Amino acid sequence: MFGNTVTIIGGGLSGCSLAAQLSDQAEKPLKINIIEPRSVLGAGVAYSADDIDHRLNAPLFVHFLTPDRAEEFQNWFVDSGGLNRDPDALAADGNIYARRTEFADYVSEKMADYLQANPSNSAITHLQEKAVDILPITNGYRIVTESGSNIESDAVVLATGNRSPAAPSPFDKELEDHPAFIVSPWDLEKIRNIDENTNVLIIGAGLTMSDVVATLSRQGHNGTITAVSRNGQIPKTHAPPPEDATPRHPFDGVMEDKPPHLDGSLLEVFVNLRKRMKEDMAADGYWHWAFDELRDCVWQIWPHFSEREKRQYLRYLRPWYDSHRFRLPPQTAHILDDALERNILTYKTGHVVSALARGKQIEVRLNIHPDSQFEDHRFDAIINCTGPVLSPAKTKNPIYQSILRRDLVKETAINIGFDVDAHCRAISKYGVPQKNLFIVGSPTVGVFGDPIGAPFIIAQIWRMAPTLLQTLSSK
């Protein structure tokens, strides 16, 4: 090794943006390996779904690969005939909400360009492998792949994106393998095989639920769909663009210093937020602008909350925050509204108390809130939409298990994601930042609060890239 080799584990948006930004900023050629088992770069979990009704949940202009070319995806989509391929992408509010596969295609195409040529003449290589182990060696790491290959690197970055979901109780034992239970909502093959006349239970009521309903609706589903969540919070919709608004780079908000009125304790921040949202509602009918101001600087606010405040947020405030933060594209909102009007879709606030196999069906007892009324139902299909596993120690990801087992990193104190410093350097079991092991994206949610979504991930990479480059140049 010569001090210029960095290996990125994960070839979705996080890994691709990191490779692109490093090759843009490097003062000398780097050797950049991207370990990604998929045949193409850029899709990852978030953008690999091929359902035509699975859309980006925000307009085109907030999706980009590097911050200096924020308009590139929108131009690429329009110039390549995106509105001819998908006329429904243009919403009534004038914004374009493309299919997720379109963004994956754009990132893949741009990464192919980067592999051919880039500003620093760095050598970017896609290794179509699955990383299963990381071993510290002198001045770096050795990465072992599933095929047995050994890759030595001066620095390693985990850019693994969303973790896989796990079966929640009471489905996490013998029922996990029941044919009526679908543990992963990303398993579109199983969802597409659900008979159109069956009764379906969806556990969870976030954006993933809406994608599942969209898939079932496209198939002409006529049976009942029940979506149950503990807090009854469902995703909100977008506000129309403000009239005569000054065009603003989507990167600006997440890079600016937080405004003074967002200082304070968790309670003070949220009381202030609700007050400002109420004022905005009274002024123009929309709460979005006050909320977005907070969202854009969560990465600056969250680290200053105490462990107790963070746990309070997770228990009491997170469902409300997430339902306002992760909004429905108008097209998907229309699909849900149609399913509600046809009495196919029903939302219930409650939780699953018990579940028993009844032949091909599963009998479920629901505790309906707030009066704790019990309901018994039999479902032909149950789809888990409770989200990814938050604790790395509880996942089956071999790389996560490897770095935890070797004490290279520890979980956060609230057991959500990995502990990293302000520069995304992994913090070891002994509290020491690792000089050349970095983690970016959603696995750092416990430290930064909300590093999720294209502009937020790309901004995080923009902030940490100089430290990574300095690490390589000092070798």
Side-chain angles (χ1 to χ4, degrees):
M1 293 185 293
F2 300 97
N4 69 338
T5 303
V6 57
T7 297
I8 302 167
I9 299 177
L13 175 63
S14 300
C16 289
S17 181
L18 176 59
Q21 293 194 48
L22 289 177
S23 62
D24 283 344
Q25 298 177 33
E27 295 180 356
K28 64 178 182 179
L30 303 176
K31 181 180 179 181
I32 303 174
N33 300 314
I34 305 176
I35 300 180
E36 167 56 53
R38 292 178 175 86
S39 60
V40 296
L41 297 173
V45 170
Y47 306 111
S48 59
D50 61 359
D51 192 299
I52 63 173
D53 288 316
H54 289 192
R55 297 184 179 275
L56 300 172
N57 68 302
L60 255 62
F61 64 83
V62 301
H63 293 85
F64 42 92
L65 182 62
T66 59
D68 56 327
R69 293 189 292 275
E71 304 84 8
E72 189 175 67
F73 175 46
Q74 184 156 330
N75 294 336
W76 176 92
F77 179 81
V78 174
D79 293 345
S80 66
L83 289 174
N84 293 326
R85 294 190 297 272
D86 179 21
D88 292 338
L90 181 62
D93 64 8
N95 282 319
I96 298 174
Y97 296 83
R99 293 164 179 157
R100 290 184 206 158
T101 52
E102 295 277 5
F103 190 50
D105 290 344
Y106 155 76
V107 175
S108 177
E109 182 178 305
K110 295 306 170 184
M111 286 308 298
D113 293 341
Y114 268 96
L115 266 62
Q116 291 296 319
N118 54 74
S120 62
N121 292 318
S122 294
I124 306 176
T125 304
H126 173 199
L127 304 175
Q128 194 177 344
E129 298 258 21
K130 180 178 180 180
V132 296
D133 199 2
I134 299 179
L135 297 86
I137 58 175
T138 303
N139 295 323
Y141 295 94
R142 177 181 296 118
I143 302 159
V144 182
T145 68
E146 195 170 50
S147 69
S149 299
N150 288 266
I151 302 155
E152 294 190 356
S153 188
D154 298 290
V156 174
V157 185
L158 267 65
T160 49
N162 288 319
R163 283 79 66 209
S164 298
S169 177
F171 302 96
D172 53 347
K173 295 179 182 176
E174 60 269 14
L175 286 176
E176 185 171 356
D177 295 323
H178 192 284
F181 182 69
I182 300 175
V183 66
S184 174
W186 307 329
D187 192 339
L188 287 179
E189 182 178 353
K190 287 185 178 180
I191 294 174
R192 286 168 175 157
N193 285 331
I194 294 174
D195 186 270
E196 63 184 23
N197 297 310
T198 58
N199 297 326
V200 177
L201 174 66
I202 301 175
I203 307 172
L207 284 180
T208 307
M209 173 277 298
S210 69
D211 287 337
V212 170
V213 173
T215 298
L216 293 173
S217 296
R218 170 70 61 175
Q219 297 171 187
H221 195 84
N222 292 313
T224 63
I225 304 172
T226 303
V228 61
S229 64
R230 288 180 177 270
N231 296 278
Q233 297 282 352
I234 60 174
K236 304 299 186 286
T237 55
H238 290 272
E243 293 184 9
D244 303 321
T246 302
R248 189 166 185 257
H249 193 300
F251 196 59
D252 291 344
V254 295
M255 293 302 292
E256 294 173 352
D257 291 337
K258 69 179 187 296
H261 62 262
L262 290 178
D263 284 327
S265 67
L266 174 70
L267 178 61
E268 290 169 335
V269 167
F270 270 82
V271 167
N272 178 275
L273 171 64
R274 296 299 291 267
K275 175 176 177 290
R276 291 170 61 81
M277 290 172 67
K278 186 176 181 180
E279 291 172 350
D280 284 356
M281 284 286 291
D284 62 13
Y286 298 104
W287 48 264
H288 302 65
W289 325 124
F291 186 92
D292 291 353
E293 183 182 51
L294 171 69
R295 175 204 63 195
D296 288 352
C297 57
V298 162
W299 64 275
Q300 300 175 70
I301 299 171
W302 178 262
H304 297 289
F305 290 150
S306 67
E307 180 183 334
R308 180 171 178 269
E309 286 178 310
K310 291 175 182 177
R311 292 189 183 278
Q312 288 176 328
Y313 163 83
L314 293 169
R315 182 172 183 179
Y316 300 112
L317 294 174
R318 184 183 176 191
W320 178 89
Y321 178 89
D322 283 356
S323 69
H324 290 75
R325 162 71 172 86
F326 302 105
R327 299 166 200 163
L328 291 168
Q331 299 89 337
T332 308
H334 175 74
I335 292 171
L336 295 183
D337 289 342
D338 180 69
L340 288 167
E341 289 175 7
R342 293 189 295 123
N343 294 318
I344 288 175
L345 174 63
T346 302
Y347 297 123
K348 290 182 180 288
T349 302
H351 66 278
V352 178
V353 176
S354 62
L356 295 171
R358 300 296 189 192
K360 294 182 179 180
Q361 296 180 314
I362 296 178
E363 183 177 303
V364 170
R365 169 162 287 191
L366 299 176
N367 183 339
I368 303 301
H369 304 167
D371 300 322
S372 291
Q373 296 180 350
F374 294 101
E375 296 181 0
D376 294 322
H377 303 270
R378 287 195 179 191
F379 294 100
D380 304 286
I382 298 176
I383 306 169
N384 172 35
C385 291
T386 56
V389 178
L390 296 176
S391 167
K394 294 181 180 179
T395 73
K396 298 178 181 178
N397 187 314
I399 281 295
Y400 288 10
Q401 296 303 317
S402 170
I403 59 177
L404 286 168
R405 184 176 64 252
R406 299 185 189 283
D407 299 332
L408 299 176
V409 68
K410 61 185 177 71
E411 287 191 342
T412 62
I414 56 174
N415 303 114
I416 292 180
F418 292 113
D419 202 6
V420 298
D421 69 5
H423 305 286
C424 295
R425 293 177 296 196
I427 296 179
S428 75
K429 176 183 177 180
Y430 309 103
V432 179
Q434 303 280 14
K435 186 173 67 172
N436 49 0
L437 177 61
F438 297 77
I439 306 173
V440 297
S442 59
T444 66
V445 65
V447 174
F448 298 108
D450 193 0
I452 300 169
F456 305 95
I457 293 170
I458 290 163
Q460 183 191 57
I461 291 170
W462 178 265
R463 293 190 296 268
M464 61 77 69
T467 301
L468 174 52
L469 290 169
Q470 179 62 37
T471 297
L472 293 170
S473 66
S474 65
K475 284 182 171 290

